[in-house]
C-alpha cells in the first residue's frame, strides 16, 4: 500500500492512500491536482549517508568509506512533491542527488541488523540538493546540505515489500536522464545503516534516513524540473528556482 499525506481543499491534513491516480481518505476521493501533497512524514531529523555508491565516490574523487559517512539535515530542509526549491543565492554549483529514503516507524535505539526492518515504516523518494560551493569548503556541511527545502521527499510512503532489493533509482532533469542505478549497488545496506545510526542516536517515528546517491550528479538551474523515480515507489517531482 502506498500512503500519502496531503492537505485537502478545506485545509485539513490527511493521511490516505494513493491508488489508480486518486488520493483516498475514508469515503472521499481527491484528484492529486486538487490538494497539496505533503512530505510522507514530519521528521525531527534527516540522517544522510554520504558516498554509499562506489561510482559516486569516484566522481567526487573520494575514497569509498570504511564505515557509513553520516551527516544531518534539519526539519527546515524538508520539501514536498510538487514544491519549488529555491537555490541558495550566489552559488556556482548546486547539484541534484537522487536517493532512496527510509522512513522510521517507531522510536528506536541500538537496533541490531537482523531487527532493522522491524523499525522501518516504508520507503520514499528523496533528492539531497547539495550546495557544492560551500560543501567543498567546510567539514560539517551545514551551508552545503542543511539549507531550506534542500530535501524534497515523496510523493508516497511505500511499504518495504513493494520496493525490490534491486529497485531502480533514476533522476531526470527536464526529461533528460541524469542518474540511473539500483539499490543493490549500495555499499552499506538499509539494515547496516539502521544498526550503525542507532548505535549513536535515537531515531523517532517519522525520521528519515536518506541512503546515498549514485553517479551522475550535476548542477541545477533556474526553471529546472526534477523527477526522482524509484521502482516500487513512484516519482517525486519538483521545480527549481534560482536567485
Amino acid at each position: 500500500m502506498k500512503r500519502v499525506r496531503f492537505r485537502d481543499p478545506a485545509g485539513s491534513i490527511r493521511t490516505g492512500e494513493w491508488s489508480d491516480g486518486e488520493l483516498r481518505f475514508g469515503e472521499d476521493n481527491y484528484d492529486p491536482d486538487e490538494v497539496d501533497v505533503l512530505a510522507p512524514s514530519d521528521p525531527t531529523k534527516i540522517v544522510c549517508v554520504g558516498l554509499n555508491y562506489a561510482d559516486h565516490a569516484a566522481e567526487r574523487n573520494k575514497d569509498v568509506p570504511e564505515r557509513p559517512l553520516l551527516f544531518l539535515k534539519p526539519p527546515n530542509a524538508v520539501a514536498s512533491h510538487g514544491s519549488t526549491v529555491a537555490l541558495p543565492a550566489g552559488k556556482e554549483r548546486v547539484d541534484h542527488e537522487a536517493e532512496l529514503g527510509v522512513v522510521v516507524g517507531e522510536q528506536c535505539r541500538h537496533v541490531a541488523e537482523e531487527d532493522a526492518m522491524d523499525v522501518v515504516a516504508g520507503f520514499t523518494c528523496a533528492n539531497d540538493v547539495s550546495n557544492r560551493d560551500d560543501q567543498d569548503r567546510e567539514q560539517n556541511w551545514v551551508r552545503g546540505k542543511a539549507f531550506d527545502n534542500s530535501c524534497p521527499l515523496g510523493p508516497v510512503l511505500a511499504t518495504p515489500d513493494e520496493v525490490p532489493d534491486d529497485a531502480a533509482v533514476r533522476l531526470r532533469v527536464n526529461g533528460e536522464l541524469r542518474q540511473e542505478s539500483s539499490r543493490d549497488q549500495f555499499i552499506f545496506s538499509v539494515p547496516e545503516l539502521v544498526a550503525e545510526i542507532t548505535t549513536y542516536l535515537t531515531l523517532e517515528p517519522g525520521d528519515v534516513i536518506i541512503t546515498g546517491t549514485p553517479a551522475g550528479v550535476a548542477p541545477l538551474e533556474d526553471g529546472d524540473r526534477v523527477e526522482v523515480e524509484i521502482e516500487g515507489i513512484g516519482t517525486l517531482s519538483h521545480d527549481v528556482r534560482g536567485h
Side-chain angles (χ1 to χ4, degrees):
M1 179 185 297
K2 294 180 172 60
R3 306 292 291 177
V4 59
R5 293 175 67 240
F6 63 96
R7 184 177 288 105
D8 70 16
S12 299
I13 294 178
R14 306 297 193 188
T15 300
E17 181 182 355
W18 193 332
S19 178
D20 299 326
E22 288 186 325
L23 280 63
R24 300 170 182 166
F25 175 76
E27 296 182 351
D28 297 322
N29 295 338
Y30 301 92
D31 186 305
D33 294 333
E34 296 175 345
V35 303
D36 294 324
V37 177
L38 305 174
S41 68
D42 191 13
T44 68
K45 55 190 167 294
I46 303 162
V47 186
C48 311
V49 181
L51 307 179
N52 201 27
Y53 287 80
D55 57 2
H56 176 58
E59 74 176 353
R60 293 285 292 155
N61 295 315
K62 305 289 187 181
D63 293 332
V64 172
E66 295 182 359
R67 63 177 184 171
L69 173 62
L70 304 178
F71 59 97
L72 295 174
K73 283 180 179 272
N76 63 282
V78 174
S80 59
H81 175 74
S83 64
T84 298
V85 174
L87 303 180
K91 305 303 176 183
E92 291 293 325
R93 180 164 180 166
V94 181
D95 285 356
H96 56 71
E97 293 193 3
E99 308 204 11
L100 175 74
V102 180
V103 180
V104 175
E106 61 185 73
Q107 187 182 69
C108 55
R109 181 82 195 276
H110 297 298
V111 180
E113 274 186 46
E114 57 268 27
D115 300 324
M117 295 309 297
D118 293 342
V119 304
V120 173
F123 296 136
T124 193
C125 303
N127 185 10
D128 176 17
V129 184
S130 300
N131 161 21
R132 301 298 191 203
D133 290 29
D134 288 307
Q135 181 186 355
D136 291 341
R137 295 176 57 192
E138 62 187 6
Q139 292 184 336
N140 56 26
W141 295 358
V142 171
R143 298 175 184 85
K145 294 283 193 174
F147 55 92
D148 287 354
N149 308 128
S150 63
C151 193
L153 298 168
V156 298
L157 180 67
T159 53
D161 61 286
E162 295 179 285
V163 183
D165 291 341
D166 60 351
V169 178
R170 300 183 181 92
L171 182 141
R172 295 178 175 85
V173 176
N174 305 324
E176 174 194 354
L177 184 64
R178 295 271 189 90
Q179 294 182 270
E180 183 172 28
S181 190
S182 169
R183 175 184 168 193
D184 65 4
Q185 296 301 302
F186 285 177
I187 296 169
F188 302 103
S189 69
V190 170
E192 288 175 304
L193 294 174
V194 171
E196 176 71 12
I197 291 164
T198 60
T199 299
Y200 295 92
L201 55 99
T202 300
L203 294 175
E204 302 290 346
D207 282 353
V208 178
I209 301 167
I210 60 173
T211 53
T213 195
V217 301
L220 293 168
E221 298 180 358
D222 181 47
D224 280 346
R225 177 76 166 178
V226 181
E227 296 174 309
V228 178
E229 177 189 359
I230 299 180
E231 183 181 355
I233 301 173
T235 301
L236 165 68
S237 300
H238 70 83
D239 296 324
V240 172
R241 184 181 76 246
H243 287 279

